[in-house]
Amino acid sequence: MYKINDNYLKLPGSYLFSTIGKKVAAYTAEHPEKSIIRLGIGDVTQPLAPAIIEAMHKAVDEMGCAETFHGYAPDLGYEFLRNAIAGGDYQARGADIKADEIFVSDGAKCDSGNIQEIFSTDNRIAVCDPVYPVYVDTNVMAGRTGTYDAETEMWSDVIYMPCLAENGFAPKLPKETPDLIYLCFPNNPTGSAITKEQLQMWVDYANRVGAVIIYDAAYEAYISEENVPHTIYECEGARTCAIELKSFSKNAGFTGVRLGYTVIPKDLKCGGVSLHALWARRHGTKYNGAPYIIQRAGEAVYSEEGKAQLKEQIAYYMKNAKTIRDGLKDAGYTVSGGVNAPYIWLKTPDKMTSWEFFDYLLEKAGVVGTPGSGFGPSGEGYFRLTAFGSYENTLAALERIKKM
Ligand code: MLT
């Protein structure tokens, strides 16, 4: 008789954004007359930039011609894209990352969920609290997290690093020593950022205790402040302790196109075993490769035209972020984030729980956001709004919130 992976049964409820989707669907079915503004999931709304569309059209034509047709993509991704990434995202910032240390994939969500597979199930993970749910959920599936306490909403074998207003939503070094440390900066969900000195402290710590940092830099394009690092490899020593995950979703609008990459430096070794080699083995076996057309689209992100067009897109979303931040402050809310990230993190009013505020906001304003507690226990009493809506919807949402 076969058995299932019963770690899956330990997962409480459904994935956060599926739960929200179901709640909103039920609400709209009951109130078909209500107009709903969605500032919940961090999904982009602006169309792909013209330079990207042009590159895709060209690649589609190539696929229709025997001389330029492409079959399976190379395991690590096409060299033209890996060269563009290594040059544009790393070497241009003085970070020593080479094209053959980059693994192109179909998105950072998959990579952030799958990367734990190359580590032992005995490893102890440390996560920021609140945190993007994929890191913990996928470690639950792997059997690495122990038992769940429904009251505290915590796993027995996870080291939680609270990110609260008191510490500027930046975690302190944990008291217990972890093996794998998940960090995401600029942060989802709090929208906070850390300085290069703060990140260097984590790199030094990881090297000292023999831990690996899994650094999610999905929101890097939104950094506006000088001393905020764009990649962990700006820090000295990161090549021996850090893996970086990167997405094309948030900087280039690829949420529906799917493209991302993972960096594993060749110096990252565990007792002489190269993590790069392990991930390459996994990639070769379990991954189909992002399509040629999409990788050409990714390459266009680094063209002069593409960069200029995407800069405008980021500025558009950051104008929304400022609008939400300033508008909520005017309305008396306590807010943070939205300066180096497309997320605004607000304290729920009148001691409402995050889910109470979710229902209140939906009912009174027809605005969908994301309850902070969905990202972890320290998110209770907080709420996330995204800057990824249209400007018109963002303004309308604020008007409605001010009238509540
Ligand atoms: C979010 O809303 O937190 C993100 O959009 C989810 C994701 O990137 O998968």
Side-chain angles (χ1 to χ4, degrees):
M1 179 70 184
Y2 67 87
K3 290 186 182 142
I4 55 157
N5 174 357
D6 57 11
N7 290 316
Y8 277 66
L9 303 178
K10 297 179 189 165
L11 286 163
S14 60
Y15 183 54
L16 172 63
F17 295 106
S18 313
T19 309
I20 292 174
K22 280 182 206 141
K23 261 182 158 290
V24 176
Y27 184 83
T28 46
E30 245 178 74
H31 305 275
E33 74 295 347
K34 281 228 174 157
S35 106
I36 303 292
I37 299 177
R38 292 165 202 271
L39 303 180
I41 189 163
D43 196 4
V44 292
T45 50
Q46 290 298 293
L48 292 173
I52 293 166
I53 292 293
E54 204 181 302
M56 286 171 94
H57 278 303
K58 191 163 169 267
V60 168
D61 288 342
E62 284 179 56
M63 292 298 275
C65 190
E67 292 74 40
T68 48
F69 170 78
H70 286 80
Y72 286 126
D75 282 358
L76 265 63
Y78 284 100
E79 223 172 275
F80 61 77
L81 178 57
R82 289 186 291 111
N83 284 336
I85 294 168
D89 289 348
Y90 296 99
Q91 290 151 15
R93 298 189 189 287
D96 175 22
I97 293 297
K98 296 177 188 67
D100 63 358
E101 295 177 310
I102 292 162
F103 297 79
V104 172
S105 75
D106 56 352
K109 179 180 179 178
C110 307
D111 283 353
S112 61
N114 294 331
I115 194 71
Q116 47 78 27
E117 279 188 27
I118 62 170
F119 297 101
S120 162
T121 48
D122 291 346
N123 283 330
R124 201 86 204 272
I125 69 160
V127 292
C128 293
D129 172 26
V131 69
Y132 178 42
V134 169
Y135 314 147
V136 174
D137 284 2
T138 51
N139 276 286
V140 173
M141 292 167 185
R144 206 175 274 118
T145 55
T147 51
Y148 185 68
D149 180 337
E151 200 146 310
T152 60
E153 298 181 357
M154 285 173 154
W155 295 91
S156 60
D157 290 352
V158 173
I159 300 169
Y160 291 88
M161 306 184 292
C163 296
L164 303 162
E166 296 88 276
N167 55 18
F169 302 103
K172 287 197 185 132
L173 294 179
K175 288 196 182 85
E176 298 167 86
T177 307
D179 302 299
L180 310 178
I181 304 166
Y182 286 85
L183 294 179
C184 170
F185 287 104
N187 187 254
N188 178 18
T190 66
S192 64
I194 56 174
T195 63
K196 189 167 166 190
E197 290 71 33
Q198 283 174 300
L199 187 55
Q200 184 67 57
M201 177 191 77
W202 281 97
V203 168
D204 294 344
Y205 171 77
N207 276 318
R208 195 165 65 242
V209 302
V212 172
I213 298 174
I214 299 168
Y215 192 72
D216 186 344
Y219 300 94
E220 166 276 321
Y222 293 86
I223 293 171
S224 68
E225 291 180 323
E226 204 45 41
N227 196 23
V228 176
H230 287 254
T231 157
I232 195 165
Y233 303 112
E234 284 179 43
C235 295
E236 218 169 294
R239 284 185 58 85
T240 53
C241 70
I243 291 174
E244 185 161 286
L245 311 169
K246 196 81 189 286
S247 167
F248 284 74
S249 290
K250 319 292 174 172
N251 66 332
F254 279 36
T255 54
V257 174
R258 309 308 304 154
L259 191 67
Y261 66 84
T262 288
V263 181
I264 309 192
K266 292 196 174 163
D267 302 349
L268 187 49
K269 293 193 174 135
C270 178
V273 177
S274 154
L275 267 53
H276 183 281
L278 297 187
W279 189 242
R281 185 66 178 84
R282 186 205 177 276
H283 226 59
T285 307
K286 286 183 145 184
Y287 176 60
N288 279 325
Y292 174 73
I293 298 163
I294 308 304
Q295 295 201 39
R296 280 291 183 203
E299 183 191 26
V301 167
Y302 298 89
S303 68
E304 286 313 313
E305 236 189 328
K307 279 195 277 193
Q309 291 163 2
L310 292 173
K311 202 170 159 194
E312 270 177 41
Q313 231 170 57
I314 304 285
Y316 177 92
Y317 291 131
M318 287 313 270
K319 184 170 156 202
N320 288 351
K322 184 168 165 35
T323 306
I324 299 174
R325 230 181 110 90
D326 293 352
L328 288 177
K329 272 190 186 163
D330 286 351
Y333 287 85
T334 304
V335 288
S336 58
V339 174
N340 294 294
Y343 295 127
I344 290 87
W345 192 238
L346 61 110
K347 190 126 196 57
T348 57
D350 306 325
K351 298 206 163 79
M352 271 189 231
T353 67
S354 304
W355 279 107
E356 280 166 358
F357 189 67
F358 175 90
D359 291 333
Y360 179 73
L361 196 64
L362 186 58
E363 178 65 41
K364 300 281 178 210
V367 173
V368 179
T370 309
S373 60
F375 296 101
S378 294
E380 183 54 280
Y382 285 92
F383 200 77
R384 192 191 78 175
L385 290 173
T386 98
F388 286 125
S390 68
Y391 183 58
E392 295 69 30
N393 272 349
T394 303
L395 282 181
L398 268 172
E399 282 317 305
R400 293 184 192 180
I401 292 172
K402 283 180 181 169
K403 285 194 197 130
M404 284 194 323

